[in-house]
Amino acid sequence: MAGINNPFRKVRRFLFSNLNKQFLIFLFFLFLSSIFWLIMTLNGTYEKEIKIPVRVNNIPKNVVLTSASNDTVRVVVRDYGWTILSYLLDSQNLGTIHVNFRNYDKGNGRGTVSSGDTKRLVEQRLDLSSKIVTIKPERIEFSYNNGEYKRVPVRWTGRIMPDQLYFISQVVYEPDSIDVYASRQKLDSIQVVYTEPLNHVNFRDSLIINCKLSHPNDVKVVPNRVNIAFYTDVLTEATIDGVPIQCLNIPEGKVLRTFPAKAKIHFVAGANRIRTLHPDDFTVVADYREIMQQPSDKCNIYLHVVPHGISRATLDAQKVDYLIEEEEE
């Protein structure tokens, strides 16, 4: 026991030495003065902005709100510091402003709570001592339709750039289409819904993003978020040989033969894409009409069709020998 009590004696002796006694007394009075300062400060009058949620209730079954069903009003309140502090520390105590749909429906897909009614609804959430300085917005407005919607595709927007040696080989949306609720006029004008601007650069592995959709006011989208997967592949230089050279604008009874009859193409693509390519996926042509207009020993050939996922495709030779023959009957 003596060994155990010995450390406690040292601690007690340290705490209650003359120097530490003075320090503890200083801390006590510092704490006491801080309490008095806080009381005096909070007894003053202050202005502060607080946010109160708004919810539209009693919506008929055949009605769909196209504006946000949960919105907020921003209220600048003047009151004693104690009350302002209680608003800031416990905002849930303010509750939610409930707007009865049937009372404020103006028809034609819109509803409006007047500035006077908005102020009255806000005052119901505040203490009697609180004075309202400003309310934004002054009027609560909502829009709706009677269930009219259309399904439209989703597309990403923004800056998506993989590392220099990589490229995006495929983009997959989940879901790839969403339901849009709006007035008939707006529904007719909406053909696609874009994401909020994305910004991801210098990545190598496949990138999966859960992002919010961007849409005009008074338009509701379901769902309002989508997953987008950007699949990457390594850029590789490759060559494909044996692409047949086809002839354009050849008249009946004529045959255009090129030497060689097949072309070689250099291109850049992903390693996975290269494995699936076939010479028939490309189209190389020679134009009979051009040959007749500009006779020469050699004719031009052109890369006419390049499959998806191929970049920087070029012909190994731009000109070839040719021979025009009469077609045998």
PDB file of all heavy atoms in Angstrom, residues 28-38:
ATOM      1  N   PHE A  28      -9.223  29.438 -11.984  1.00  0.00           N
ATOM      2  CA  PHE A  28     -10.589  29.551 -11.458  1.00  0.00           C
ATOM      3  C   PHE A  28     -11.193  30.910 -11.800  1.00  0.00           C
ATOM      4  O   PHE A  28     -12.318  31.005 -12.291  1.00  0.00           O
ATOM      5  CB  PHE A  28     -10.581  29.326  -9.943  1.00  0.00           C
ATOM      6  CG  PHE A  28     -11.901  29.616  -9.292  1.00  0.00           C
ATOM      7  CD1 PHE A  28     -12.977  28.731  -9.409  1.00  0.00           C
ATOM      8  CD2 PHE A  28     -12.089  30.803  -8.582  1.00  0.00           C
ATOM      9  CE1 PHE A  28     -14.199  29.025  -8.829  1.00  0.00           C
ATOM     10  CE2 PHE A  28     -13.305  31.089  -7.989  1.00  0.00           C
ATOM     11  CZ  PHE A  28     -14.371  30.198  -8.117  1.00  0.00           C
ATOM     12  N   PHE A  29     -10.426  31.971 -11.554  1.00  0.00           N
ATOM     13  CA  PHE A  29     -10.954  33.307 -11.828  1.00  0.00           C
ATOM     14  C   PHE A  29     -11.077  33.570 -13.332  1.00  0.00           C
ATOM     15  O   PHE A  29     -11.969  34.295 -13.771  1.00  0.00           O
ATOM     16  CB  PHE A  29     -10.082  34.376 -11.155  1.00  0.00           C
ATOM     17  CG  PHE A  29     -10.338  34.500  -9.679  1.00  0.00           C
ATOM     18  CD1 PHE A  29      -9.445  33.983  -8.758  1.00  0.00           C
ATOM     19  CD2 PHE A  29     -11.511  35.114  -9.228  1.00  0.00           C
ATOM     20  CE1 PHE A  29      -9.703  34.087  -7.397  1.00  0.00           C
ATOM     21  CE2 PHE A  29     -11.758  35.229  -7.862  1.00  0.00           C
ATOM     22  CZ  PHE A  29     -10.858  34.700  -6.941  1.00  0.00           C
ATOM     23  N   LEU A  30     -10.177  32.949 -14.120  1.00  0.00           N
ATOM     24  CA  LEU A  30     -10.299  33.068 -15.572  1.00  0.00           C
ATOM     25  C   LEU A  30     -11.591  32.415 -16.052  1.00  0.00           C
ATOM     26  O   LEU A  30     -12.321  32.976 -16.884  1.00  0.00           O
ATOM     27  CB  LEU A  30      -9.089  32.419 -16.261  1.00  0.00           C
ATOM     28  CG  LEU A  30      -9.113  32.423 -17.799  1.00  0.00           C
ATOM     29  CD1 LEU A  30      -9.071  33.860 -18.319  1.00  0.00           C
ATOM     30  CD2 LEU A  30      -7.935  31.623 -18.358  1.00  0.00           C
ATOM     31  N   PHE A  31     -11.878  31.245 -15.521  1.00  0.00           N
ATOM     32  CA  PHE A  31     -13.125  30.559 -15.873  1.00  0.00           C
ATOM     33  C   PHE A  31     -14.327  31.376 -15.428  1.00  0.00           C
ATOM     34  O   PHE A  31     -15.313  31.533 -16.168  1.00  0.00           O
ATOM     35  CB  PHE A  31     -13.132  29.179 -15.217  1.00  0.00           C
ATOM     36  CG  PHE A  31     -14.426  28.443 -15.387  1.00  0.00           C
ATOM     37  CD1 PHE A  31     -14.760  27.857 -16.601  1.00  0.00           C
ATOM     38  CD2 PHE A  31     -15.323  28.338 -14.328  1.00  0.00           C
ATOM     39  CE1 PHE A  31     -15.965  27.184 -16.767  1.00  0.00           C
ATOM     40  CE2 PHE A  31     -16.524  27.667 -14.483  1.00  0.00           C
ATOM     41  CZ  PHE A  31     -16.850  27.086 -15.711  1.00  0.00           C
ATOM     42  N   LEU A  32     -14.263  31.926 -14.223  1.00  0.00           N
ATOM     43  CA  LEU A  32     -15.375  32.717 -13.689  1.00  0.00           C
ATOM     44  C   LEU A  32     -15.612  33.963 -14.534  1.00  0.00           C
ATOM     45  O   LEU A  32     -16.761  34.313 -14.870  1.00  0.00           O
ATOM     46  CB  LEU A  32     -15.081  33.097 -12.236  1.00  0.00           C
ATOM     47  CG  LEU A  32     -16.279  33.571 -11.390  1.00  0.00           C
ATOM     48  CD1 LEU A  32     -17.313  32.461 -11.277  1.00  0.00           C
ATOM     49  CD2 LEU A  32     -15.804  33.999 -10.005  1.00  0.00           C
ATOM     50  N   SER A  33     -14.523  34.637 -14.929  1.00  0.00           N
ATOM     51  CA  SER A  33     -14.671  35.842 -15.752  1.00  0.00           C
ATOM     52  C   SER A  33     -15.213  35.503 -17.136  1.00  0.00           C
ATOM     53  O   SER A  33     -15.976  36.281 -17.724  1.00  0.00           O
ATOM     54  CB  SER A  33     -13.320  36.566 -15.867  1.00  0.00           C
ATOM     55  OG  SER A  33     -12.363  35.738 -16.506  1.00  0.00           O
ATOM     56  N   SER A  34     -14.834  34.330 -17.666  1.00  0.00           N
ATOM     57  CA  SER A  34     -15.363  33.901 -18.969  1.00  0.00           C
ATOM     58  C   SER A  34     -16.861  33.678 -18.903  1.00  0.00           C
ATOM     59  O   SER A  34     -17.597  34.023 -19.837  1.00  0.00           O
ATOM     60  CB  SER A  34     -14.659  32.617 -19.430  1.00  0.00           C
ATOM     61  OG  SER A  34     -13.272  32.829 -19.590  1.00  0.00           O
ATOM     62  N   ILE A  35     -17.312  33.114 -17.788  1.00  0.00           N
ATOM     63  CA  ILE A  35     -18.754  32.900 -17.612  1.00  0.00           C
ATOM     64  C   ILE A  35     -19.476  34.239 -17.579  1.00  0.00           C
ATOM     65  O   ILE A  35     -20.514  34.436 -18.240  1.00  0.00           O
ATOM     66  CB  ILE A  35     -19.022  32.102 -16.328  1.00  0.00           C
ATOM     67  CG1 ILE A  35     -18.460  30.675 -16.462  1.00  0.00           C
ATOM     68  CG2 ILE A  35     -20.520  32.051 -16.039  1.00  0.00           C
ATOM     69  CD1 ILE A  35     -19.099  29.848 -17.529  1.00  0.00           C
ATOM     70  N   PHE A  36     -18.958  35.211 -16.816  1.00  0.00           N
ATOM     71  CA  PHE A  36     -19.583  36.533 -16.744  1.00  0.00           C
ATOM     72  C   PHE A  36     -19.587  37.207 -18.122  1.00  0.00           C
ATOM     73  O   PHE A  36     -20.569  37.833 -18.519  1.00  0.00           O
ATOM     74  CB  PHE A  36     -18.862  37.426 -15.725  1.00  0.00           C
ATOM     75  CG  PHE A  36     -19.219  37.107 -14.304  1.00  0.00           C
ATOM     76  CD1 PHE A  36     -18.245  36.741 -13.387  1.00  0.00           C
ATOM     77  CD2 PHE A  36     -20.548  37.160 -13.870  1.00  0.00           C
ATOM     78  CE1 PHE A  36     -18.578  36.444 -12.070  1.00  0.00           C
ATOM     79  CE2 PHE A  36     -20.878  36.864 -12.557  1.00  0.00           C
ATOM     80  CZ  PHE A  36     -19.897  36.497 -11.653  1.00  0.00           C
ATOM     81  N   TRP A  37     -18.451  37.065 -18.852  1.00  0.00           N
ATOM     82  CA  TRP A  37     -18.372  37.670 -20.192  1.00  0.00           C
ATOM     83  C   TRP A  37     -19.410  37.050 -21.126  1.00  0.00           C
ATOM     84  O   TRP A  37     -20.071  37.756 -21.890  1.00  0.00           O
ATOM     85  CB  TRP A  37     -16.972  37.455 -20.756  1.00  0.00           C
ATOM     86  CG  TRP A  37     -16.854  37.900 -22.196  1.00  0.00           C
ATOM     87  CD1 TRP A  37     -16.633  39.156 -22.653  1.00  0.00           C
ATOM     88  CD2 TRP A  37     -16.989  37.056 -23.348  1.00  0.00           C
ATOM     89  NE1 TRP A  37     -16.621  39.169 -24.024  1.00  0.00           N
ATOM     90  CE2 TRP A  37     -16.837  37.887 -24.478  1.00  0.00           C
ATOM     91  CE3 TRP A  37     -17.212  35.695 -23.522  1.00  0.00           C
ATOM     92  CZ2 TRP A  37     -16.916  37.386 -25.771  1.00  0.00           C
ATOM     93  CZ3 TRP A  37     -17.285  35.194 -24.801  1.00  0.00           C
ATOM     94  CH2 TRP A  37     -17.135  36.038 -25.923  1.00  0.00           C
ATOM     95  N   LEU A  38     -19.587  35.722 -21.055  1.00  0.00           N
ATOM     96  CA  LEU A  38     -20.556  35.043 -21.911  1.00  0.00           C
ATOM     97  C   LEU A  38     -21.975  35.495 -21.577  1.00  0.00           C
ATOM     98  O   LEU A  38     -22.787  35.748 -22.474  1.00  0.00           O
ATOM     99  CB  LEU A  38     -20.425  33.527 -21.746  1.00  0.00           C
ATOM    100  CG  LEU A  38     -21.354  32.670 -22.602  1.00  0.00           C
ATOM    101  CD1 LEU A  38     -21.070  32.897 -24.086  1.00  0.00           C
ATOM    102  CD2 LEU A  38     -21.205  31.188 -22.256  1.00  0.00           C
TER     103      LEU A  38
END
